[in-house]
Amino acid sequence: MSTIRTVLLDAAAQRSDGVAVRWKSEGVWRTWTYGDYLKKTRNIAEAAGKLGVKPGQRVAMMMENRPEWMVVYLGLACCGIEVVPIDARLQEREVAHILNDSESCALFASGKLWPLISEIEGGLAALKHVVLLDGVFSETKKADGVRHHDFAALLASAEADAQRPDSFFDRNVPAEGDVASIIYTSGTTGRPKGAMLTHGNFTSQLEGAFQYFTVRTSDNFLLVLPLHHAFAFTGNFLVPMGAMCEVSIVENLRTVSENMREVSPSILLAVPLLAEKMHNAIIAKVRKNPVARLLLAIGLGKVVGKKVIAGLGGRLRIIICGGAASDPAMLRNFTKFGIKSLEGYGLSETAPIITLAPENKIKFGSVGRPLPNCEIRIASPNAEGIGEIQVRGPMVMKGYFHNEAATAEVFDGPWFRTGDLGKMDAENYVTITGRKKSLIVNREGKNIYPEEVEMVVNASPYILESIVVGYHAASEKGERVGIIVVPDMDRIGEDHKEKGQSLSDDQVVALCKSEVQRMAREIAEYKRPRRILVRFEPLEKTTTQKVKRYLYSMPDTED
């Protein structure tokens, strides 16, 4: 399986009538088969060709989880076009940066995102085409130098040519080393960086993952996490396609339990927050039942588990957690109920899986072993064996798009520096102990880079400088975002002197907090500071004027 294209072609050849994806529309569950996948893929590829897109160029996608996400991706990537998946919840400023930086020449997006896109499209030099789903555009027309297309109409115009032997799909075949996705992840410069991931990066993940847990053609993966995220993309899209089994898309986070009972998934990929909610609901019911408590206490959890699994659709056998640290007690409890609970570790830059717990030899508290085709070394370990986790193998990205300096910074020869601290035992099980870099990981497993938030906040005329730090609430595993800001007293004094005002310290604090909240509207909600502290002294710096981050922290809270 050298490319994503070959994975698709194998599935379509061997299980043409097998269900590939299931989703709910207007109250009814609908399906596409692998044969449908291939037909729609060819059609979208032809449509991209009609737009003038060439292999090696970038095309962006911005949509919520839906079946069209999957076939649009395949239609582009399977012809050598580099796909730039964008989080549909980002703000205008963030989307504009990704589109500009990636030099995307076209954008496929959900219709509901048109208000955002219409505000930024005129300022995007490389963007030539916007293709919207959901019937927003009634006709093809040009505005702000960008041509607008209706998705359904564009596909209809390409349908006949897509089936010809000289179709765009047949003429353009990507190689293993060609870039398939450019996934943007925030970086230490404060600007998101585009990790260039090749077809080989992704397909190597399948070869490794299938050695650690069994996937059958009869399995049904439940898709809850967003597909633009590397974890969901590989684990909830490519792995099922490689196994030629089914994926069921939940309607939304509020309907997860209901949808599980309707579609009976057998494998669930989850961030700890989702798994914890499921676990806590189950444990609350067990505690109310004396018989269930007794059975669990005497080691007969699987007897209780039959009822638990029945409430989750009746077939759930594996939960895989990633994206943030999981509570070992939670994973242990799921396993007692008869649901194997695996934890893994990875990064966007590694497509993303680095380690995974083998389903038949789980060590709770560790994130598993390196995939069979992945090498790990612990760089400069201390007396306890803890050092930076560095990775080498076919899953490691090509580099950051148009950013040689950032690429050089994260490589030590062939070894990728993860920036995470950990140790490895005699059986090669990895335990994560901390982070070398300042990355904040929230409860949902989302990465927040302080520098990105600081750059946005510091654009306020009343904020001199700031530092973003993570803190914990007693009831949560992940981190929350906090910020310490220093007011620009000179600017505040000048502006308010003109108004005949003189602000007290309390009023300055209130002004700074208001400014942080105002500026943070430009970034995604999960990146916005939850706590704001104001200090009147400048932040301490090195001789090169870099803030000494290690000096600053924020106390944990009870709530």
Side-chain angles (χ1 to χ4, degrees):
M1 295 187 289
S2 60
T3 68
I4 293 170
R5 178 188 176 108
T6 56
V7 177
L8 169 65
L9 291 176
D10 285 348
Q14 296 181 49
R15 293 203 75 230
S16 179
D17 294 331
V19 174
V21 62
R22 186 182 302 271
W23 76 101
K24 202 172 189 179
S25 175
E26 299 177 344
V28 178
W29 285 97
R30 306 174 191 277
T31 61
W32 283 344
T33 65
Y34 280 105
D36 294 329
Y37 256 18
L38 181 56
K39 183 178 179 181
K40 293 175 186 298
T41 293
R42 295 180 67 93
N43 204 357
I44 288 163
E46 196 65 31
K50 284 185 176 293
L51 297 181
V53 181
K54 295 179 174 57
Q57 290 186 306
R58 270 75 53 205
V59 173
M61 289 175 53
M62 190 165 63
M63 2 177 151
E64 68 283 5
N65 284 358
R66 55 192 295 174
E68 292 90 348
W69 198 107
M70 297 162 165
V71 292
V72 169
Y73 181 90
L74 291 171
L76 300 170
C78 289
C79 296
I81 295 167
E82 300 175 5
V83 186
V84 182
I86 302 177
D87 184 347
R89 294 171 296 178
L90 294 181
Q91 302 296 309
E92 291 174 10
R93 176 181 175 276
E94 298 164 305
V95 175
H97 167 71
I98 292 173
L99 290 171
N100 262 327
D101 188 74
S102 64
E103 300 171 352
S104 292
C105 63
L107 169 65
F108 285 75
S110 293
K112 67 180 182 181
L113 298 173
W114 174 236
L116 181 152
I117 297 165
S118 65
E119 289 294 322
I120 63 174
E121 64 172 359
L124 303 171
L127 191 67
K128 305 301 179 192
H129 302 276
V130 170
V131 183
L132 290 189
L133 284 72
D134 310 314
V136 172
F137 294 146
S138 58
E139 59 180 339
T140 298
K141 60 181 181 180
K142 195 171 186 179
D144 296 323
V146 179
R147 193 168 291 278
H148 299 157
H149 309 268
D150 174 68
F151 179 75
L154 179 64
L155 263 59
S157 71
E159 191 168 4
D161 289 339
Q163 306 309 315
R164 293 165 57 93
D166 61 345
S167 69
F168 189 82
F169 182 86
D170 291 322
R171 294 197 313 271
N172 298 290
V173 179
E176 184 175 314
D178 289 344
V179 172
S181 297
I182 300 180
I183 296 180
Y184 273 77
T185 175
S186 300
T188 55
T189 61
R191 286 286 193 183
K193 299 173 295 187
M196 296 185 290
L197 295 159
T198 67
H199 286 262
N201 290 152
F202 286 120
T203 57
S204 73
Q205 298 272 277
L206 308 189
E207 297 161 12
F210 288 150
Q211 294 185 49
Y212 275 31
F213 69 102
T214 303
V215 187
R216 313 176 183 112
T217 55
S218 58
D219 274 319
N220 180 8
F221 282 68
L222 192 72
L223 175 56
V224 182
L225 308 177
L227 282 166
H228 70 267
H229 194 286
F231 179 30
F233 176 80
T234 296
N236 255 139
F237 178 34
L238 295 187
V239 168
M241 187 161 61
M244 306 176 200
C245 66
E246 175 183 340
V247 175
S248 294
I249 306 175
V250 300
E251 295 172 86
N252 55 62
L253 289 174
R254 296 186 301 276
T255 64
V256 171
S257 296
E258 176 189 340
N259 292 161
M260 289 184 79
R261 290 190 292 271
E262 292 173 328
V263 301
S264 300
S266 54
I267 299 177
L268 169 66
L269 271 63
V271 293
L273 177 61
L274 172 63
E276 284 170 17
K277 285 184 176 179
M278 290 175 54
H279 171 263
N280 293 344
I282 292 165
I283 294 299
K285 290 180 180 178
V286 169
R287 284 174 179 161
K288 292 178 182 177
N289 187 321
V291 176
R293 286 203 313 270
L294 175 62
L295 290 170
L296 200 58
I298 63 175
L300 295 176
K302 288 186 180 179
V303 177
V304 181
K306 288 181 180 179
K307 192 167 183 180
V308 169
I309 294 170
L312 300 173
R315 296 182 61 214
L316 190 64
R317 62 185 183 87
I318 293 177
I319 294 176
I320 302 175
C321 279
S326 294
D327 182 354
M330 173 192 71
L331 300 177
R332 193 175 284 110
N333 280 340
F334 273 126
T335 301
K336 285 178 182 176
F337 291 138
I339 304 169
K340 290 181 179 177
S341 300
L342 319 180
E343 189 171 7
Y345 161 70
L347 302 165
S348 296
E349 290 90 341
T350 57
I353 311 167
I354 295 173
T355 68
L356 185 64
E359 66 173 314
N360 294 321
K361 196 173 182 182
I362 302 169
K363 278 191 181 181
F364 297 109
S366 87
V367 291
R369 288 172 165 168
L371 292 187
N373 50 11
C374 176
E375 293 180 75
I376 284 182
R377 72 177 184 184
I378 306 298
S380 305
N382 63 15
E384 298 174 338
I386 297 171
E388 183 184 26
I389 298 169
Q390 298 186 354
V391 181
R392 179 169 67 180
M395 67 292 299
V396 177
M397 69 169 182
K398 224 174 179 178
Y400 294 116
F401 183 70
H402 283 180
N403 198 333
E404 292 181 7
T407 300
E409 189 179 335
V410 296
F411 279 96
D412 180 4
W415 293 92
F416 175 73
R417 297 172 168 141
T418 67
D420 292 315
L421 299 174
K423 57 185 179 180
M424 195 157 51
D425 68 15
E427 293 184 294
N428 289 337
Y429 281 80
V430 175
T431 301
I432 307 296
T433 59
R435 285 188 300 279
K436 187 177 178 180
K437 51 195 176 184
S438 56
L439 176 72
I440 295 169
V441 180
N442 74 4
R443 210 175 159 213
E444 296 175 287
K446 294 185 180 299
N447 295 345
I448 301 114
Y449 284 79
E451 295 84 355
E452 181 185 8
V453 182
E454 289 160 7
M455 185 172 65
V456 171
V457 171
N458 291 349
S460 164
Y462 300 125
I463 304 294
L464 182 66
E465 57 184 349
S466 66
I467 183 167
V468 168
V469 294
Y471 70 97
H472 292 86
S475 59
E476 294 180 1
K477 288 290 178 185
E479 294 174 286
R480 293 180 176 182
V481 180
I483 189 167
I484 302 168
V485 299
V486 178
D488 187 335
M489 295 303 295
D490 291 340
R491 178 63 182 271
I492 291 172
E494 289 171 7
D495 281 9
H496 288 80
K497 186 177 181 180
E498 293 174 3
K499 300 173 185 176
Q501 299 173 333
S502 178
L503 300 187
S504 66
D505 284 356
D506 286 345
Q507 289 172 317
V508 171
V509 169
L511 173 64
C512 288
K513 289 184 175 181
S514 174
E515 281 295 287
V516 170
Q517 292 165 350
R518 181 178 70 85
M519 301 304 295
R521 293 190 195 114
E522 294 186 17
I523 55 178
E525 187 174 359
Y526 68 85
K527 301 177 186 177
R528 297 172 189 170
R530 299 276 293 273
R531 292 179 71 196
I532 304 166
L533 301 182
V534 179
R535 57 175 276 153
F536 289 84
E537 304 82 21
L539 299 172
E540 292 195 40
K541 302 175 184 70
T542 65
T543 53
T544 57
Q545 294 304 296
K546 292 182 179 178
V547 175
K548 296 179 179 179
R549 289 187 175 273
Y550 61 88
L551 295 178
Y552 298 96
S553 62
M554 194 167 283
D556 294 343
T557 62
E558 294 298 323
D559 57 350

